Amino acid sequence: GVPVDGTITLPCKVSRLGNHVFKIILKQGLNRQIRKMCAHFEYEVEQLKRVRIMNVPLDKLAVGKWRYLSDAEMQGIHNMIKDSSKT
């Protein structure tokens, strides 16, 4: 975890894709979390690209557009949050 706004983030999975490129899989979505985590390590974020939200890939979705979720995507989301508590 990394200190962000007075709390410690949940551990993330980080993979190096190149000299200046890496992929992060978050377990939570704090406000500007990736930028704040990178700032903690004195890295400058030049570009971010979200490729997925939970189990929903965004690769075929144009910027500013939306689509209905499939039944399988909805079932996956329900399975992932079934043990969550409301906050």
Side-chain angles (χ1 to χ4, degrees):
V2 177
V4 170
D5 295 337
T7 187
I8 302 294
T9 64
L10 294 176
C12 303
K13 184 175 180 181
V14 179
S15 304
R16 185 176 178 166
L17 302 178
N19 286 337
H20 301 284
V21 179
F22 55 93
K23 176 172 97 173
I24 299 177
I25 300 176
L26 300 176
K27 293 187 178 182
Q28 65 192 129
L30 301 176
N31 184 36
R32 300 178 58 83
Q33 180 176 347
I34 292 174
R35 291 186 186 277
K36 291 175 182 178
M37 289 169 51
C38 289
H40 175 79
F41 294 108
E42 299 182 3
Y43 293 136
E44 181 180 344
V45 176
E46 293 183 6
Q47 181 180 358
L48 284 175
K49 180 179 179 183
R50 180 175 286 182
V51 297
R52 178 180 72 160
I53 300 173
M54 295 179 78
N55 62 320
V56 181
L58 303 175
D59 55 339
K60 297 177 184 174
L61 194 61
V63 174
K65 298 297 180 184
W66 66 275
R67 67 172 177 82
Y68 290 102
L69 298 178
S70 70
D71 290 339
E73 290 168 335
M74 286 300 300
Q75 185 60 45
I77 291 171
H78 287 296
N79 286 339
M80 284 185 262
I81 66 170
K82 67 182 176 194
D83 296 324
S84 298
S85 60
K86 294 182 180 180
T87 56

